Amino acid sequence: MLRKKEENGRILRESLPTGATEEAERRLDRRRFLALAAAGLLGLEQTGWGWSGTDAFSTGRFVRLIPFEDEGTAPVGTPIGSELDGRLYTDLTKILAGRMVTPTADFYIRTLASKLLPGAGQWQVAVDGLVATPSHLGMKALRAMAKPMGMHLMECAGNVRLTRFGLMSVANWAGVPVMDLVEQARPAAGGTWVEVSGFDEYAGESRTSMPGASWIFPADALKAAGAFLAMEMNGAPLTADHGAPVRLVVPGWYGCACIKWVNRLTVVDDSAETTTQMQEYAARTLQTGIPQMARDFDAATIDHAAMPVRVEQWSVGGKTRYRVTGIAWGGQEPVTRLRIRFNPEEEFVDVSGFRQQKTDVWTLWTHAWSPTSAGTYNIQLAVAEPAVRARKMDAGYYVRTVSIKV
Ligand SMILES: Nc1nc2c(c(=O)[nH]1)N[C@H]1C(S)=C(S)[C@@H](COP(=O)(O)O)O[C@H]1N2
Ligand SMILES: [Mo]
């Protein structure tokens, strides 16, 4: 039953195509990009990569964005649907040197707040299970412990081409390390796993998802990742749709593990079975089958990945030039080389000037591109280090397609 639902829903689950036509999107492109430029968001001041002073494009004129093809018609930048079927696909074309953090109103949403969500006033997080001193933490106590947690990227494991890969964003967070709260309760011997649960009941029935949100982590993995209960996002209190009053963020892990509306931390041992949320996301976090035991579930971490976010047409010295701007993210350690190719029959070449410093925010890169003939191009990225895991990227998951006329 679960397996069947998983297979049928794999692609459609995260996508709710409605509304805006491709054509309308296309017409908006240039206007939108120019508006960003006018607002000073293009990062002309940037050095190192992108718009540096020596860049051939700095003397050119931006003409238009080449639209990506076959990416569905779901609207971007606006919430659609409700509750478990509610989504906000972020507009990745807006990532710029001067806009590396996603404004909260544009941060992707997978599951809009439940109509049944209790008010924050009485909210408590229970710390229980295999602990010496179980407790209930109120929001006042939690807020008193909050500190800056820095910028971290979140990506839904079901972030697909059909919805323009709009289920990923970066925010600047504040909160409390989750293991500080667990350790305060003094876990018993053998209590080396933590189940994080969130409110997940909805007024309406979902077409695509199963209610019930909890994830079981090895305690040492939460510690190593620097996982925290977030109460603030981009300098303001968390919004309801992003999990207010308190949500989990596990840097480097897929969003499905980042439980929203957290109300319980339960210390368990290695006999714990996987939760329905873990089962629902087993395929998309690249597990082998659907593990029954939490201890057999691999860490839902994001491998190295990269993709284009804009293909820009420019006029430089009277000649048509193209430039691909993209992002790289994921993986455990930064890589030193990123490679790009424009169709399977071409060779991968280095993205020049690529430099990655952190893996759980996105890194911007640009690549001057001179297509030799009109046609359709599938753009794929790769890392050069063979020892580095990049499973989704290597499988072609993040390939994007453009057609060049000249
Ligand atoms: N309680 C609860 N938490 C949840 C979910 C949910 O449906 N219910 N969805 C998860 C998934 S699949 C993702 S990708 C992230 C998305 O967080 P965001 O909507 O703030 O971007 O929340 C996670 N936390
Ligand atoms: Mo997700």
Side-chain angles (χ1 to χ4, degrees), residues 112-133:
L112 283 157
S114 168
K115 291 172 182 147
L116 309 178
L117 191 70
Q122 302 302 310
W123 198 275
Q124 290 190 324
V125 178
V127 187
D128 59 13
L130 303 172
V131 295
T133 51

Side-chain angles (χ1 to χ4, degrees), residues 67-358:
F68 292 113
E69 298 185 347
D70 307 321
E71 297 199 345
T73 55
V76 292
T78 181
I80 50 175
S82 68
E83 298 193 311
L84 265 177
D85 293 332
R87 303 282 186 275
L88 186 151
Y89 301 108
T90 202
D91 185 351
L92 294 177
T93 64
K94 288 184 176 173
I95 302 175
L96 298 157
R99 187 186 174 280
M100 294 301 278
V101 172
T102 316
T104 301
D106 295 339
F107 195 103
Y108 88 87
I109 298 169
R110 195 286 184 204
T111 308
L112 283 157
S114 168
K115 291 172 182 147
L116 309 178
L117 191 70
Q122 302 302 310
W123 198 275
Q124 290 190 324
V125 178
V127 187
D128 59 13
L130 303 172
V131 295
T133 51
S135 65
H136 284 87
L137 303 166
M139 289 311 300
K140 214 171 150 190
L142 285 171
R143 282 197 192 103
M145 297 170 76
K147 49 188 184 194
M149 289 290 154
M151 290 193 289
H152 301 285
L153 171 146
M154 198 177 295
E155 182 188 14
C156 181
N159 188 21
V160 294
R161 169 172 166 141
L162 190 60
T163 49
R164 299 167 181 276
F165 300 107
L167 292 177
M168 66 188 303
S169 298
V170 169
N172 197 354
W173 306 89
V176 190
V178 69
M179 285 307 295
D180 285 4
L181 304 173
V182 170
E183 279 160 9
Q184 270 179 11
R186 294 190 289 130
T192 52
W193 296 74
V194 181
E195 176 168 8
V196 180
S197 310
F199 183 89
D200 212 54
E201 296 160 41
Y202 300 89
E205 207 180 302
S206 168
R207 292 194 289 129
T208 55
S209 305
M210 292 179 292
S214 67
W215 201 276
I216 300 171
F217 302 87
D220 54 6
L222 286 176
K223 203 153 192 168
F228 54 93
L229 290 187
M231 281 156 274
E232 274 183 32
M233 183 178 178
N234 297 337
L238 215 54
T239 64
D241 293 327
H242 291 298
V246 55
R247 68 125 10 117
L248 181 66
V249 175
V250 191
W253 289 50
Y254 280 114
C256 48
C258 300
I259 301 300
K260 300 198 276 193
W261 310 295
V262 168
N263 54 18
R264 188 170 294 271
L265 308 174
T266 306
V267 174
V268 297
D269 63 21
D270 73 353
S271 68
E273 296 192 2
T274 48
T275 64
T276 55
Q277 172 87 351
M278 295 165 84
Q279 292 164 14
E280 181 172 351
Y281 277 91
R284 281 167 280 173
T285 58
L286 308 176
Q287 309 295 318
T288 313
I290 301 179
Q292 203 196 330
M293 307 302 290
R295 62 168 185 261
D296 296 328
F297 206 95
D298 292 333
T301 47
I302 305 175
D303 282 3
H304 278 282
M307 69 177 164
V309 294
R310 285 192 298 278
V311 176
E312 305 154 6
Q313 184 183 326
W314 287 73
S315 174
V316 184
K319 291 205 173 112
T320 295
R321 291 271 181 270
Y322 295 92
R323 184 169 70 171
V324 183
T325 295
I327 51 174
W329 74 99
Q332 301 301 306
E333 298 291 333
V335 288
T336 53
R337 278 169 77 199
L338 184 67
R339 321 201 76 207
I340 189 167
R341 85 175 171 197
F342 295 86
N343 270 341
E345 54 275 12
E346 280 185 24
E347 297 286 315
F348 277 105
V349 297
D350 280 356
V351 172
S352 64
F354 176 73
R355 227 172 62 219
Q356 188 176 33
Q357 273 159 1
K358 293 186 75 192

Side-chain angles (χ1 to χ4, degrees), residues 385-396:
E385 286 93 314
V388 161
R389 268 198 335 191
R391 291 167 294 175
K392 285 191 179 180
M393 178 162 66
D394 290 346

